[in-house]
Amino acid sequence: MIAVIDYGMGNLRSVVNAIEMAGGNPEVVSDPSMLQAAERIVLPGVGAFGDCIANLTRTGFAETLDREVRGKGRPILGICLGMQVMARRGVEFGEHAGLGWFAAEVLRIQPADPALRVPQVGWNDLNVRREHPVLRGLPKGGDVYFVHSFQMCCDDPADILATCDYGGAITAAVAKDNIVATQFHPEKSQDVGLALLANFLRWNP
Amino acid sequence: MFKKRLIPKLQMKTVQMGGRPRTALVTTRTFSEVFQIGDPVSQAKIYQAQAADELVFLDLDATTEARETLATVVEQAAEEIFMPITVGGGVRSVADFRRLLQSGADKVAVNTWAVETPGFIEAAAGQFGAQCVVLSIDFRREADGVCRVFTHGGRRASQWDVVAWAQRGEVLGAGELLLTSIDRDGTREGLDLALIRQVAGAVGIPVIASGGCGLARHFVEGFLDGRADAIAAGTYFCFKDENPMQTRSRIANAGIPIRLHQ
């Protein structure tokens, strides 16, 4: 079972549909104790950083995730805000501590080119910085779909799997041990996104 | 490189078919004439096969009953379509908004209700995030040249000038703007470039332009002269003689970054 975490934010249906299409067996999970039975975990998320971490904490997911992911090494995929909350700190609507899995800060996008808008909404190509099983076999120059106003800035460049260019390099995917996360939405990125999800379903970190 | 977006617009209306209500795909001309052309979910799948960048579903009935049908259409589409979906038509509460997001919509377009209750934009953005609030602005160019915002499917004039309303919408937390020229809707005469450029220059959020595309050249103009971030079209894409792949090539040939494959 692939646990799709429901902590009261966002459109989970698309994530569930896409995991099914990629060959997985998703289940929407709103009770942290269910994570013990999960083979893998997907942490989706739209909305604001502060609300997200508050909801994860209130529902008990923050603590359970730390145990299952960091303690037991369960593979996890974070998507969009689900990636950002893995950082140490976010500054959207005030300063908030994140899960702290990555030495990173989540800051507002400030494109060098003033013609570029914030949020970044749309398709951009991935510049892969380092090989990773979850990115294996993706079409060269394949575009993926982004919607975000904030970006994850990593202290350690080795955590970055891929970037996109939006008036400067923006972190598009990160990975460390059994954790992988994307700023873009694989569930909205047509064939490239479904291929990435299929890779995640097969990944044995 | 970051790409400009081509967005097919699927407009829907409930029609009686064999004595039963059914959701039909339609196109319109100047928001008044309506032409029934097919089934929205089948057409959405065709657009998926043609690698559209996003889809917009708009319910023209905008009634309480139609909204439930709209949610069902979105649910069906979301099962097989893996690209961003914006849905609008008759959204009049945070509950309506949530219902559509839960059906599989990524963004919800609001128009009449936002004009009547601007605080709603703020409420929806606060609750669901600015990225899923699309402020849809239907406008007419009036005799004195002023572009005025219309609500209720183009039937009622508001007091707002388009640029002022667009700026206000951005401040209230809208994540994107969908501009539609009522005068040019379905005419294939080209976009209202002057207004699009004016709005694009006045706000920092992405602008989706719509109303009037009939030729590939109109898209090129919309991106280059209008400075639109995305262009939505209903009539243009609905008729099968227009191949989106050819349109994309024409846009790319003009030096505009756009997706060509997948």
Side-chain angles (χ1 to χ4, degrees):
Chain A
M1 182 264 281
I2 314 298
V4 178
I5 297 184
D6 177 9
Y7 52 101
M9 294 176 85
N11 162 14
L12 299 178
R13 188 181 284 261
S14 301
V15 175
V16 166
N17 288 339
I19 292 170
E20 260 169 17
M21 189 60 95
N25 168 31
E27 196 171 316
V28 173
V29 164
S30 45
D31 173 1
S33 68
M34 296 279 290
L35 292 183
Q36 287 175 28
E39 178 200 334
R40 291 156 202 283
I41 301 168
V42 175
L43 180 61
V46 296
F49 192 101
D51 291 342
C52 177
I53 201 72
N55 283 342
L56 283 173
T57 306
R58 181 180 49 77
T59 51
F61 272 117
E63 201 189 321
T64 314
L65 277 171
D66 222 45
R67 195 171 58 237
E68 293 295 322
V69 174
R70 300 252 285 191
K72 298 189 193 162
R74 193 99 59 203
I76 187 167
L77 168 66
I79 298 175
C80 196
L81 187 58
M83 166 176 119
Q84 295 184 354
V85 290
M86 293 177 179
R88 178 176 59 218
R89 193 175 73 111
V91 299
E92 189 174 5
F93 300 121
E95 275 194 27
H96 307 276
L99 294 169
W101 297 348
F102 287 93
E105 310 260 287
V106 177
L107 307 174
R108 194 170 168 81
I109 304 174
Q110 289 176 317
D113 176 355
L116 289 171
R117 296 171 185 280
V118 177
Q120 170 177 217
V121 182
W123 298 81
N124 206 335
D125 35 23
L126 279 183
N127 303 320
V128 175
R129 297 277 187 95
R130 129 168 119 82
E131 297 294 318
H132 190 278
V134 168
L135 299 181
R136 193 169 294 155
L138 297 189
K140 277 254 181 301
D143 292 295
V144 290
Y145 191 84
F146 291 84
V147 186
H148 63 131
S149 301
F150 286 76
Q151 59 175 323
M152 198 194 227
C153 304
C154 294
D155 297 354
D156 183 357
D159 288 341
I160 300 173
L161 280 191
T163 57
C164 68
D165 180 17
Y166 197 71
I170 283 189
T171 306
V174 292
K176 188 168 159 182
D177 309 324
N178 55 316
I179 305 167
V180 64
T182 63
Q183 178 62 65
F184 55 91
H185 288 267
E187 78 282 13
K188 291 288 154 187
S189 298
Q190 296 178 359
D191 296 350
V192 175
L194 294 176
L196 185 147
L197 289 172
N199 283 342
F200 172 68
L201 296 175
R202 282 194 297 265
W203 179 42
N204 290 309
Chain B
M1 192 183 295
F2 186 66
K3 312 296 192 302
K4 299 285 186 178
R5 290 171 284 155
L6 279 198
I7 308 179
K9 185 166 72 176
L10 297 118
Q11 293 170 292
M12 296 174 291
K13 233 182 144 42
T14 305
V15 295
Q16 294 298 320
M17 224 176 254
R20 291 177 45 216
R22 237 192 112 205
T23 308
L25 178 68
V26 300
T27 63
T28 54
R29 188 178 292 145
T30 65
F31 279 33
S32 44
E33 293 170 84
V34 176
F35 310 93
Q36 194 179 320
I37 53 168
D39 171 68
V41 177
S42 330
Q43 187 62 40
K45 287 187 206 163
I46 295 173
Y47 290 141
Q48 156 113 331
Q50 292 169 337
D53 294 324
E54 288 187 40
L55 294 178
V56 173
F57 287 89
L58 293 176
D59 164 37
L60 303 183
D61 296 323
T63 59
T64 311
E65 306 79 62
R67 209 154 39 242
E68 208 38 50
T69 328
L70 179 64
T72 312
V73 168
V74 175
E75 273 168 24
Q76 289 169 355
E79 276 176 24
E80 294 175 69
I81 286 172
F82 301 105
M83 68 177 123
I85 297 175
T86 300
V87 181
V91 172
R92 298 191 78 85
S93 68
V94 167
D96 290 345
F97 205 103
R98 182 181 297 112
R99 173 82 181 88
L100 291 170
L101 290 180
Q102 283 170 349
S103 310
D106 300 285
K107 314 179 204 179
V108 174
V110 293
N111 182 334
T112 300
W113 198 37
V115 172
E116 288 176 351
T117 322
F120 167 64
I121 300 175
E122 229 168 351
Q127 198 154 347
F128 309 111
Q131 83 294 331
C132 63
V133 182
V134 177
L135 180 59
S136 171
I137 303 179
D138 298 333
F139 66 92
R140 284 183 203 275
R141 200 170 266 282
E142 302 197 312
D144 55 4
V146 170
C147 286
R148 187 177 296 282
V149 178
F150 277 70
T151 59
H152 297 82
R155 294 186 302 276
R156 203 174 295 177
S158 79
Q159 71 210 24
W160 285 99
D161 161 78
V162 174
V163 174
W165 177 231
Q167 288 177 318
R168 181 82 187 120
E170 178 179 26
V171 169
L172 289 168
E176 269 183 292
L177 299 174
L178 169 60
L179 296 178
T180 306
S181 163
I182 301 172
D183 308 316
R184 288 166 182 263
D185 171 53
T187 62
R188 302 178 172 223
E189 287 169 1
L191 296 158
D192 189 327
L193 298 172
L195 189 270
I196 296 162
R197 189 171 48 241
Q198 214 182 335
V199 174
V203 298
I205 51 178
V207 173
I208 308 168
S210 132
C213 282
L215 301 167
R217 175 167 61 82
H218 294 151
F219 291 89
V220 172
E221 291 168 352
F223 290 128
L224 292 182
D225 303 338
R227 317 235 169 100
D229 300 281
I231 297 176
T235 305
Y236 180 86
F237 289 121
C238 278
F239 295 101
K240 307 294 187 295
D241 51 335
E242 309 288 358
N243 179 335
M245 300 312 271
Q246 287 166 355
T247 308
R248 282 179 190 279
S249 300
R250 293 279 302 275
I251 295 169
N253 288 343
I256 299 162
I258 193 137
R259 284 200 314 153
L260 287 173
H261 49 76
Q262 268 189 31

